[in-house]
Amino acid sequence: MEESTADLIRAQLRRLRVAAGLSQEEFGKLVHYSPSMVSAVETGSRPYDRSLLARADEVLRSGDLLVALLRIAEREGQPSWFLPWLDAERLASQLRVFQPTLIPALLQTEGYARAVIRCDDLLSDEEVERRAAARLDRQGILTRPDPPQLIAVIDEAILHRRDERFQGLMVHQVEHLIACAERPNISIHVIPLSVGLHIGLSGPFSLARGVDGGWVASQEAQLTARPTDSEADLATLLARWETVRNEALSRQQSIELLKEVAKSWT
């Protein structure tokens, strides 16, 4: 979702609340949010979701304005279930990403992103291009003036998917990872093949820490990515993060391994 759309939704939420004569505390009671959470959503330090906007439309008698704006955002690029995570990702001060099967989306080259998306043979060429462009747009958070710290842990097996058709693509992708890893706000850590089985093989997940220090997590599946800020879920995923991070090589060791892999591809 574009930043301007997210800001517009927040601005309309705040405008409607004030026009209704409701304080953040009064409004929060009606939509089952704490005053601090209402404030965080309105200022952009915490993401909103469809259920909040639907309740707000009902309470503020807005004629479904907020949900309609959300539908516009969905048509512009991303499914509704992914929007809360994109919002959390954009607002994060730190991102922790674990991927056992693919290069993380924020670190993919255009060619790699397009090849991965094209694996879904139900998508038209136009849809593939649209999704690839949207994925590259997400990466803009890493080059803005105040970028988040990105710590990515990947499994070495990702780097060794041998297919001669994609040799040039993989060389470029691994070289891109090396360049990213040498930037001050990005750390890439590789779990070597010698580790064998580990808890991370259960599936990918991401963690975003907002400017308020709160965490939001996302677990990816075939059809959805489930954002959550449940204390129990966060405790589990933060513990799993420590496990996979501890299994991985150091930053410099990982860069050296990536350089060896790049040579092997050439």
Side-chain angles (χ1 to χ4, degrees):
M1 180 170 55
E2 296 181 359
E3 181 173 350
S4 59
T5 307
D7 290 344
L8 175 61
I9 291 174
R10 288 198 182 87
Q12 291 301 314
L13 174 61
R14 184 167 54 251
R15 181 187 66 80
L16 291 166
R17 175 183 62 76
V18 172
L22 296 173
S23 67
Q24 290 181 337
E25 181 175 4
E26 292 168 335
F27 176 71
K29 289 179 180 178
L30 294 172
V31 296
H32 314 301
Y33 265 49
S34 67
S36 61
M37 183 63 76
V38 172
S39 175
V41 169
E42 288 186 354
T43 58
S45 60
R46 295 287 285 178
Y48 53 78
D49 57 26
R50 177 180 289 274
S51 60
L52 169 63
L53 298 182
R55 291 197 300 271
D57 274 333
E58 181 179 353
V59 167
L60 301 172
R61 299 180 181 179
S62 63
D64 295 328
L65 172 63
L66 299 173
V67 171
L69 289 172
L70 183 59
R71 291 194 190 103
I72 291 173
E74 291 168 6
R75 287 197 297 270
E76 288 176 346
Q78 300 292 348
S80 60
W81 51 260
F82 199 42
L83 295 178
W85 173 252
L86 288 182
D87 207 24
E89 185 178 81
R90 182 179 62 83
L91 297 169
S93 61
Q94 184 186 94
L95 291 164
R96 299 179 180 181
V97 179
F98 170 69
Q99 257 291 357
T101 55
L102 294 169
I103 302 298
L106 291 176
L107 298 173
Q108 292 178 6
T109 63
E110 181 178 355
Y112 186 94
R114 186 179 290 109
V116 169
I117 295 167
R118 199 176 293 280
C119 288
D120 185 346
D121 55 14
L122 297 178
L123 299 178
S124 65
D125 289 344
E126 181 180 354
E127 180 64 12
V128 169
E129 292 304 316
R130 188 190 66 74
R131 294 193 182 192
R135 186 163 299 182
L136 294 177
D137 283 346
R138 285 172 59 193
Q139 298 176 6
I141 64 171
L142 299 176
T143 55
R144 69 192 186 194
D146 59 336
Q149 179 190 29
L150 171 63
I151 307 170
V153 175
I154 63 174
D155 197 283
E156 185 183 351
I158 297 172
L159 308 173
H160 296 290
R161 292 190 178 278
R162 295 288 173 177
D163 188 325
E164 293 303 317
R165 294 175 300 167
F166 303 118
Q167 180 172 345
L169 181 154
M170 284 303 300
V171 170
H172 186 207
Q173 176 62 75
V174 176
E175 289 175 345
H176 179 67
L177 287 178
I178 295 168
C180 288
E182 292 175 340
R183 287 157 58 181
N185 64 308
I186 299 176
S187 297
I188 298 174
H189 302 273
V190 181
I191 298 178
L193 293 173
S194 59
V195 169
L197 294 177
H198 56 84
I199 188 62
L201 296 176
S202 299
F205 61 90
S206 301
L207 293 151
R209 185 170 68 190
V211 293
D212 62 351
W215 289 94
V216 177
S218 177
Q219 293 177 275
E220 298 179 26
Q222 283 282 335
L223 298 177
T224 63
R226 182 174 68 87
T228 178
D229 58 2
S230 155
E231 289 187 11
D233 289 345
L234 288 173
T236 298
L237 291 176
L238 284 167
R240 290 191 178 186
W241 170 261
E242 292 301 323
T243 300
V244 297
R245 175 63 190 86
N246 288 335
E247 294 284 10
L249 299 173
S250 71
R251 184 176 187 173
Q252 190 57 45
Q253 288 173 324
S254 296
I255 290 174
E256 294 304 316
L257 176 57
L258 288 170
K259 290 179 178 178
E260 291 176 11
V261 171
K263 289 180 183 178
S264 75
W265 273 103
T266 57

